Amino acid sequence: MNIRIATPADAERLLSIYAPYVTQTAITFEYTVPTIEDFAGRIANTLLKYPYLAAEQDGQLLGYAYAGCFHARAAYDWAVETSIYVDWENKGKGIGGRLHSALEAALREQGILNMNACIAYPEAEDTYLTKNSVEFHAHMGYRWVGRFRQCGYKFGRWYDMVWMEKHIGEHGPNQPPPKPFAVMRAK
C-alpha cells in the first residue's frame, strides 16, 4: 500500500468513499453529499496549508486523511483538526492506522504540535454510530479532553461530540511558525 498526497483529480473516488458516511452514518454531521466540484475544491484548499493524503493499493484509492484548521486565530496555528475515512469494504485492514501515521509525520515535519479530533459519539451505540472512532483515536495515542452532549442532530437522533488530542511536538517559548504544506511540497 502506498500513502501519497491526494489531488483534486482524486475527488470523484474519494467522494465515493465519503458519501456512505454522509448518507448512512452519524460519523459526519454533514447531511448532503457534496458535489465532485465542491469536494475537489476542499482538497485543493486544504493542500494550501495542510496535508491531504490518500491510501492507494493496486491503483485503487482505499481511504484518505487530512488536517484542517483547528481555529482561525493565529495563536492556534500549531493545532489542527484531523479526519480519516476508509472505504467501507476495506475497514479493519489497518488502512486508517497507516493513514494516521503518515498524516502525523507530515504534520510533525510542518511544525504542528497538536492533533485534535472532533468525534461524533453516541450515548448508546445504534445503527448510525458506534464508539469505534474514539477507540481508534485512543489506540493512536489520543487522550479524551472533552464532551459536548446532544449537540449534533442527524437521522432524528441527538449525538454527543467528543474532543480528543495528541501532542506530537515540544511546546516551547519562541515557537517557530508551522510551514504551510504547499511550501513544503514545492521543495
Side-chain angles (χ1 to χ4, degrees), residues 16-172:
S16 74
I17 292 170
Y18 180 61
Y21 289 94
V22 175
T23 61
Q24 300 172 34
T25 79
I27 289 170
T28 175
F29 285 164
E30 193 158 14
Y31 283 6
T32 306
V33 176
T35 66
I36 294 170
E37 294 77 20
D38 286 342
F39 209 73
R42 290 180 188 186
I43 295 168
N45 190 49
T46 297
L47 286 169
L48 295 174
K49 193 167 183 180
Y50 303 110
Y52 203 119
L53 306 176
E56 185 174 41
Q57 187 168 29
D58 300 325
Q60 182 180 0
L61 295 176
L62 303 177
Y64 64 97
Y66 63 94
C69 180
F70 174 67
H71 198 286
R73 303 244 164 89
Y76 297 99
D77 283 352
W78 294 266
V80 296
E81 183 177 343
T82 61
S83 296
I84 299 175
Y85 291 94
V86 174
D87 178 74
W88 219 253
E89 301 300 317
N90 288 285
K91 290 172 102 179
K93 296 180 180 177
I95 298 166
R98 297 267 311 270
L99 281 164
H100 183 277
S101 294
L103 183 64
E104 183 177 329
L107 292 168
R108 188 179 287 115
E109 186 177 341
Q110 277 186 264
I112 298 296
L113 303 177
N114 295 18
M115 295 175 74
N116 301 298
C118 183
I119 304 166
Y121 193 75
E123 187 67 40
E125 292 187 357
D126 61 33
T127 57
Y128 301 110
L129 189 62
T130 67
K131 298 178 180 178
N132 289 352
S133 189
V134 165
E135 294 163 1
F136 169 82
H137 283 84
H139 178 74
M140 298 307 296
Y142 287 71
R143 69 182 185 98
W144 180 300
V145 292
R147 181 174 182 173
F148 296 95
R149 297 192 182 272
Q150 296 184 337
C151 64
Y153 185 76
K154 192 169 180 183
F155 302 121
R157 301 161 191 219
W158 286 100
Y159 293 101
D160 298 352
M161 291 303 303
V162 169
W163 277 99
M164 297 181 79
E165 71 177 0
K166 181 177 184 178
H167 289 187
I168 61 171
E170 291 295 321
H171 295 72

